[in-house]
Amino acid sequence: MDNAALKDRILGLVPDAELVENKQFLTFIIPSDKMHDLAVKLKEEPDLAFDYLFCLSGVDMPKFMEVVYHLESTTLKHQLVLKVRTAGRENPVVGTVCDIWR
């Protein structure tokens, strides 16, 4: 799947995702409450098959915190980046995906 088709597929699954212009990876900001359900679909749906979480990072920004997920399908050879932002800095909580990618 090329990046144009992948972009349409992700926006079809999460219409309120925000596409971020990035030259290296197709990147989306995902609402925190939608991340887990999206992650399950990304791993389990055969046309997506994102079986490898190859980088998980935390970013400390002035107004929020962010978790960044770099994903790859080792069988279909496509990659993407998802970002989830906290609602603020007071209680920076983001749900886990460790049940999906160990």
Side-chain angles (χ1 to χ4, degrees), residues 81-100:
V81 173
L82 303 176
K83 297 181 177 186
V84 176
R85 293 180 174 166
T86 63
R89 297 183 57 82
E90 294 297 318
N91 186 22
V93 175
V94 173
T96 185
V97 294
C98 70
D99 59 315
I100 302 165

Side-chain angles (χ1 to χ4, degrees), residues 39-87:
V40 169
K41 290 174 184 170
L42 290 174
K43 184 170 184 190
E44 294 181 355
E45 293 192 12
D47 64 326
L48 297 169
F50 283 97
D51 57 335
Y52 183 38
L53 171 61
F54 66 90
C55 184
L56 177 67
S57 306
V59 181
D60 188 350
M61 303 296 278
K63 294 185 180 181
F64 57 86
M65 299 183 93
E66 180 172 82
V67 178
V68 182
Y69 309 83
H70 286 78
L71 303 173
E72 179 177 1
S73 171
T74 60
T75 57
L76 301 175
K77 307 298 181 206
H78 49 237
Q79 298 178 339
L80 88 127
V81 173
L82 303 176
K83 297 181 177 186
V84 176
R85 293 180 174 166
T86 63

